[in-house]
Amino acid sequence: MTKVTKKQKSLDGKVEPMKLYKVDAAIELLKSLASTKFDETLEVAINLGVDPRHADQMVRGVVNLPKGTGKDVRVAVFARGAKADEATAAGAEVVGAEDLMEAIQGGKTDFDRVIATPDMMGIVGRLGKVLGPKGLMPNPKLGTVTMDVTKAVTDAKSGQVEFRVEKAGIIHAGIGKASFPAADLKANFDAFVDAIAKAKPAGAKGKYIQKVALSSTMGPGVKVDVSEMAGA
């Protein structure tokens, strides 16, 4: 028999498991149930009508959340010379070339985003087996292979979120902290869902956005009514 925690007991009856909540109501409910001990992250999970095993049904991209994520994002940049200085000035925590490659090969991956100038991809390419599974591999389509390292670092630190559909057709992302005003969380939610809708692949057939749920780090999942959303 599974032991019921005090937290689960306190939540019992607060969320109707079969109900489809309006976005505003879901956000307000999760904020009211959030822990007072630490600032929980509000997360969105979207079930899409795609099969990512097919190349024409892959959903991937980036979105700038207008109200930020509330998360301290650590950035590593592969660059040399003036571009390395630019990355450091923009606030990147780790900047390097071969030395950074060796550090990563040695197990150092304590960062959330990896950016590279195009001329560094020969070095970065050797790290595919390390960075790929962690979703950290720089990619031109995501703006993380670029000569404009200042913009890339600034975007990463100011609320840019990468998204990629998982094998089961689900996309997960944090859209802010429970301490954010409800209106800010709603603005971030809308921006994220809009980006997913615009990223609809050519191979997607039928209903694209099928289910949406919101949850907090320690809280329950709340089903959201998708009928009014773009792409639903």
Side-chain angles (χ1 to χ4, degrees):
M1 185 175 175
T2 305
K3 186 178 179 181
V4 179
T5 65
K6 286 183 179 179
K7 176 74 173 175
Q8 287 170 322
K9 282 183 179 179
S10 70
L11 296 175
D12 192 33
K14 300 282 181 66
V15 177
E16 297 178 47
M18 302 309 293
K19 180 178 177 178
L20 293 177
Y21 289 79
K22 295 292 185 184
V23 178
D24 292 314
I27 289 172
E28 291 286 5
L29 179 58
L30 287 169
K31 280 176 61 65
S32 72
L33 298 176
S35 168
T36 56
K37 294 181 179 179
F38 74 100
D39 200 2
E40 296 185 40
T41 296
L42 240 68
E43 298 172 358
V44 61
I46 303 178
N47 291 63
L48 299 175
V50 299
D51 183 349
R53 291 176 298 181
H54 300 289
D56 67 344
Q57 294 187 47
M58 172 54 69
V59 181
R60 186 177 187 184
V62 292
V63 56
N64 288 308
L65 298 183
K67 303 301 180 180
T69 62
K71 181 182 177 182
D72 183 20
V73 177
R74 287 181 56 82
V75 178
V77 178
F78 281 90
R80 285 195 178 96
K83 288 297 171 182
D85 295 339
E86 199 178 307
T88 301
E93 280 76 12
V94 187
V95 181
E98 285 85 359
D99 55 333
L100 179 51
M101 177 188 72
E102 290 167 6
I104 292 172
Q105 287 173 332
K108 181 180 175 66
T109 55
D110 60 336
F111 30 77
D112 307 292
R113 186 74 60 89
V114 179
I115 294 161
T117 53
D119 58 298
M120 300 300 292
M121 287 309 291
I123 292 173
V124 178
R126 300 179 213 171
L127 298 169
K129 289 183 179 179
V130 180
L131 299 179
K134 295 179 180 294
L136 292 172
M137 195 68 183
N139 186 315
K141 292 180 180 178
L142 301 179
T144 45
V145 177
T146 176
M147 288 301 286
D148 193 350
V149 292
T150 296
K151 182 179 187 301
V153 173
T154 303
D155 284 348
K157 288 184 166 291
S158 64
Q160 188 182 73
V161 173
E162 289 186 14
F163 57 84
R164 181 174 182 168
V165 68
E166 299 167 7
K167 289 180 181 178
I170 302 172
I171 281 182
H172 293 274
I175 58 166
K177 296 292 186 179
S179 62
F180 281 20
D184 287 2
L185 289 167
K186 176 66 161 54
N188 281 352
F189 176 89
D190 288 345
F192 187 77
V193 172
D194 185 55
I196 300 302
K198 287 177 178 174
K200 182 178 180 178
K205 299 290 187 289
K207 191 175 183 181
Y208 177 51
I209 295 179
Q210 299 187 334
K211 296 178 185 176
V212 177
L214 281 167
S215 62
S216 58
T217 308
M218 303 294 290
V222 178
K223 294 177 181 177
V224 177
D225 185 354
V226 302
S227 62
E228 298 173 2
M229 294 181 195

